Amino acid sequence: MTTKPEGGDAGDDLARIDAAIARGLADAEAGRVTPEEEVFDRLEAKYRAMPRTGVDREALRAEINRRYGNSLRYLKD
């Protein structure tokens, strides 16, 4: 999240969030989505190339699925 410009308020933030959600839903309805497996594969390759930090990748993947699974299923339908 970015910092608010001087004079910015929560209403401005909500308007930007609403607009971003509307764009995302329009993209999903128009079929402009990336299959979740492709996204996971790309992220997995990216993070495998990074130095090891002791992160349990399977646990991270499970947490992403738990948190965002409903959103990902919506985009696939």
Side-chain angles (χ1 to χ4, degrees), residues 66-77:
R66 186 186 71 72
R67 287 187 184 194
Y68 303 108
N70 291 335
S71 298
L72 296 173
R73 279 191 289 281
Y74 169 79
L75 296 176
K76 287 173 35 180
D77 291 339

Side-chain angles (χ1 to χ4, degrees), residues 2-74:
T2 60
T3 59
K4 292 184 187 121
E6 285 299 315
D9 63 17
D12 293 339
D13 289 344
L14 291 175
R16 282 192 295 274
I17 292 168
D18 286 345
I21 290 170
R23 286 190 306 271
L25 290 173
D27 282 344
E29 290 170 5
R32 292 184 298 264
V33 297
T34 302
E36 69 179 277
E37 195 60 35
E38 185 179 322
V39 173
F40 281 125
D41 289 347
R42 189 172 59 227
L43 288 171
E44 188 172 45
K46 174 183 176 178
Y47 290 108
R48 280 188 191 277
M50 295 175 79
R52 287 281 188 198
T53 60
V55 172
D56 181 344
R57 295 184 195 301
E58 287 303 315
L60 179 59
R61 187 178 190 127
E63 179 66 12
I64 290 169
N65 277 325
R66 186 186 71 72
R67 287 187 184 194
Y68 303 108
N70 291 335
S71 298
L72 296 173
R73 279 191 289 281
Y74 169 79

